[in-house]
C-alpha cells in the first residue's frame, strides 16, 4: 500500500506520532505532558525537554503498532508551526534526522490546517467547500476550506483564543491547568442562565475574548467580597454560565459566516471542539438552519499526530515536499 507516512506532532505539550497508510490513519500515539499542571500553564522550556524524553518511544510505538518497519516509510511529516519554538524544534529535528537516515522526503505541516483536516480521518468526510470553526488554546478562527490545501481565514480572534479564555477563567477559580475540560465537566451539572457576562463586539466575523476574562475576574472579585465561598458554593452554575456565554459568542459568528457565504456544511476543530456545550450548540443550530454538521472524534480534537498524518497524505499526493534545511515557525498563517 502506498504512501506510508510517519507524522510527528510536537508544537505544544503533546508528543505524538502516527502512521498513515494510503490515506488511512493506523494509529495515534500521544504522550501528554503532565509536568505543566503545577505551574498553571505550559512552560516552554519544560515542554521541549519532555518532547526530547518522549519522542523516541512515541515514534517507536507508532511504527510497531502499525506493523511496519521504518524501511516501509515513504515520507516523514512534522508540524512546522505555529507553536512553541523549542517544542517544534524537537519534532522538526527528529523528522529531519529520520528522513535523512532513510533517504526519504520530508513533509512540513501547518498545525492549524491539520486541525481542520482531522475531519478526513474518519467518515463522514465533508465535501468542499465547507466552513470550519477552529477553536484551541492558541487559535480561534472561522476558516473557509476551499480544498485540502487551500484555506482562507474569514474571521479570527484579535486577542486571546477561546481555549485560553476557558483556561484563564478556570485559573481564576483556582482550578488546575488545563481548566477547559474541567469547566466543561462542572458545567454539565449547572444552570447556564444564572449569571450573565458582557459580549464583546468585533467587526465582521472576528472575536475578542480578553474582555470576557476581565469581566469574569471582576465578577468573582465582587461576589467573593460578599461571600468568600461564592465559587465553591456555585461552581456548577458559574461554569455553565461562562461556557454558555463563550459558546454563544462562537456560534453567533459561525451563523453569520454561514449566512454570508451561503455555505451550510459546517465543521468544528481544535481542542475546544471537545467541549460538550459547543458540540450540543452546533448540533442544535445545525438542525435549526439545515446545516450538515461535522464534529471530530474526541481523540482528534486536541493535539495529535493523526491529523498531521492526514494533512501530510494530501501534501504527498500533490508532491509537496520540503527541503532538509527547513526551520520551524512559531507563527505560521493558515
Ligand atoms: O488543540 P489543543 O489541544 O492545543 C492547541 O493547539 O492549543 O487545544 C487545547 C485547548 C486548551 O485550552 C483546553 O483547555 C481546551 O483546548 N479544551 C477544552 C476542552 N477540552 C480541551 N475547552 C473546553 N472544553 C473542553 N472539553
Ligand atoms: Zn492544536
Amino acid at each position: 500500500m502506498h504512501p506510508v507516512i510517519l507524522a510527528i506532532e510536537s508544537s505544544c505539550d503533546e508528543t505524538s506520532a502516527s502512521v498513515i497508510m494510503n490515506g488511512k490513519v493506523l494509529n495515534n500515539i500521544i504522550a501528554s505532558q503532565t509536568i505543566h499542571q503545577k505551574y498553571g500553564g505550559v512552560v516552554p522550556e519544560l515542554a521541549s525537554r519532555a518532547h526530547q524524553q518522549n519522542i523516541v518511544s512515541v515514534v517507536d510505538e507508532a511504527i510497531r503498532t502499525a506493523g511496519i518497519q521504518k524501511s516501509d516509510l515513504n515520507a516523514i511529516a512534522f508540524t512546522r508551526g505555529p507553536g512553541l519554538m523549542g517544542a517544534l524544534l524537537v519534532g522538526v529535528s527528529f523528522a529531519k534526522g529520520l528522513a535523512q537516515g532513510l533517504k526519504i522526503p520530508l513533509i512540513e505541516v501547518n498545525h492549524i490546517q491539520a486541525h481542520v483536516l482531522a475531519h478526513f480521518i474518519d467518515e463522514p468526510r465533508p465535501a468542499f467547500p465547507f466552513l470550519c470553526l477552529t477553536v484551541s488554546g492558541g487559535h480561534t478562527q472561522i476558516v473557509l476550506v476551499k480544498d485540502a490545501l487551500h484555506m482562507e481565514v474569514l474571521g479570527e480572534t484579535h486577542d486571546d483564543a477561546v481555549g485560553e479564555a476557558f483556561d484563564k477563567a478556570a485559573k481564576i477559580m483556582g482550578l488546575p491547568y488545563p481548566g477547559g475540560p474541567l469547566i466543561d465537566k462542572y458545567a454539565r451539572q449547572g444552570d447556564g442562565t444564572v449569571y450573565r457576562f458582557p459580549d464583546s463586539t468585533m467587526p465582521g466575523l472576528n472575536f475578542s475574548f480578553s474582555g470576557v476574562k476581565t469581566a469574569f475576574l471582576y465578577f468573582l472579585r465582587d461576589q467573593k467580597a460578599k461571600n468568600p465561598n461564592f465559587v465553591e458554593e456555585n461552581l456548577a452554575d458559574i461554569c455553565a454560565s461562562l461556557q454558555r456565554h463563550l459558546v454563544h459568542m462562537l456560534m453567533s459568528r459561525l451563523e453569520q459566516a454561514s449566512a454570508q457565504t451561503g455555505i451550510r456544511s459546517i465543521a468544528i476543530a481544535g481542542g475546544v471542539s471537545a467541549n460538550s456545550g459547543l458540540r450540543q450548540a452546533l448540533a442544535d443550530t445545525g438542525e435549526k438552519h439545515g446545516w450538515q454538521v461535522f464534529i471530530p472524534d474526541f481523540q482528534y480534537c486536541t493535539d495529535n499526530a493523526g491529523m498531521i498524518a492526514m494533512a501530510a497524505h494530501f501534501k504527498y499526493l500533490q508532491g509537496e515536499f520540503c527541503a532538509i534545511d527547513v526551520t520551524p515557525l512559531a507563527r505560521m498563517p493558515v
Side-chain angles (χ1 to χ4, degrees):
M1 290 287 251
H2 187 86
V4 187
I5 306 168
L6 169 75
I8 296 167
E9 155 65 30
S10 73
S11 66
C12 192
D13 58 348
E14 246 89 43
T15 317
S16 182
S18 167
V19 173
I20 187 166
M21 192 181 285
N22 206 23
K24 188 170 170 19
V25 171
L26 299 186
N27 53 27
N28 186 34
I29 312 300
I30 303 176
S32 296
Q33 305 176 1
T34 48
I35 180 125
H36 308 288
Q37 272 167 8
K38 62 179 173 217
Y39 300 98
V42 177
V43 184
E45 171 74 20
L46 295 181
S48 312
R49 292 178 192 208
H51 285 307
Q52 280 283 2
Q53 239 161 23
N54 296 338
I55 196 156
V56 173
S57 60
V58 166
V59 167
D60 280 351
E61 197 179 336
I63 300 282
R64 186 177 57 77
T65 58
I68 60 161
Q69 308 290 320
K70 287 197 180 85
S71 56
D72 295 323
L73 293 169
N74 299 113
I76 308 291
F78 61 93
T79 303
R80 185 178 184 193
L84 301 169
M85 183 48 84
L88 291 165
L89 270 166
V90 178
V92 176
S93 306
F94 195 91
K96 282 184 185 186
L98 204 50
Q100 263 201 324
L102 295 169
K103 298 189 172 49
I104 54 176
L106 268 178
I107 301 175
E108 51 137 326
V109 171
N110 180 311
H111 181 90
I112 306 301
Q113 282 196 358
H115 268 302
V116 173
L117 296 174
H119 284 282
F120 293 85
I121 296 175
D122 290 325
E123 299 285 349
R125 298 180 171 90
F128 301 110
F130 65 94
L131 294 180
C132 187
L133 173 70
T134 309
V135 278
S136 75
H139 300 272
T140 306
Q141 296 181 329
I142 296 176
V143 184
L144 167 60
V145 188
K146 297 171 185 171
D147 64 47
L149 302 178
H150 297 94
M151 304 183 191
E152 183 187 336
V153 177
L154 302 181
E156 62 189 333
T157 181
H158 282 199
D159 41 58
D160 292 351
V162 66
E164 235 176 316
F166 269 105
D167 294 341
K168 285 179 178 170
K171 195 172 179 180
I172 294 169
M173 290 189 284
L175 298 175
Y177 177 85
L182 289 172
I183 292 188
D184 189 3
K185 183 179 137 197
Y186 295 123
R188 285 172 215 217
Q189 285 119 46
D191 177 354
T193 61
V194 176
Y195 307 107
R196 302 269 161 172
F197 303 102
D199 202 350
S200 60
T201 48
M202 273 283 140
L205 298 170
N206 295 306
F207 303 94
S208 165
F209 291 100
S210 68
V212 182
K213 178 190 63 192
T214 313
F216 188 69
L217 182 71
Y218 290 142
F219 163 74
L220 286 194
R221 185 197 60 186
D222 295 347
Q223 295 291 336
K224 282 201 293 202
K226 289 182 257 172
N227 171 10
N229 297 324
F230 176 74
V231 172
E232 294 74 11
E233 288 170 12
N234 301 284
L235 189 60
D237 288 344
I238 299 170
C239 290
S241 301
L242 180 73
Q243 178 166 302
R244 184 170 182 263
H245 181 65
L246 293 172
V247 166
H248 172 76
M249 285 173 74
L250 295 171
M251 289 308 304
S252 64
R253 304 298 186 284
L254 194 54
E255 279 185 276
Q256 217 177 315
S258 170
Q260 272 176 29
T261 57
I263 295 174
R264 294 197 297 173
S265 187
I266 314 282
I268 52 172
V272 181
S273 60
N275 184 268
S276 61
L278 179 60
R279 286 173 168 243
Q280 189 59 51
L282 185 67
D284 295 345
T285 312
E287 207 171 288
K288 187 170 98 190
H289 295 302
W291 289 351
Q292 201 183 355
V293 163
F294 298 90
I295 302 177
D297 194 79
F298 271 111
Q299 66 164 321
Y300 300 122
C301 287
T302 48
D303 290 348
N304 68 89
M307 67 185 195
I308 307 300
M310 196 68 241
H313 175 78
F314 286 116
K315 291 192 121 181
Y316 187 99
L317 297 183
Q318 295 299 316
E320 286 196 22
F321 303 108
C322 67
I324 195 74
D325 59 356
V326 62
T327 53
L329 297 170
R331 290 171 177 273
M332 191 176 179
V334 165

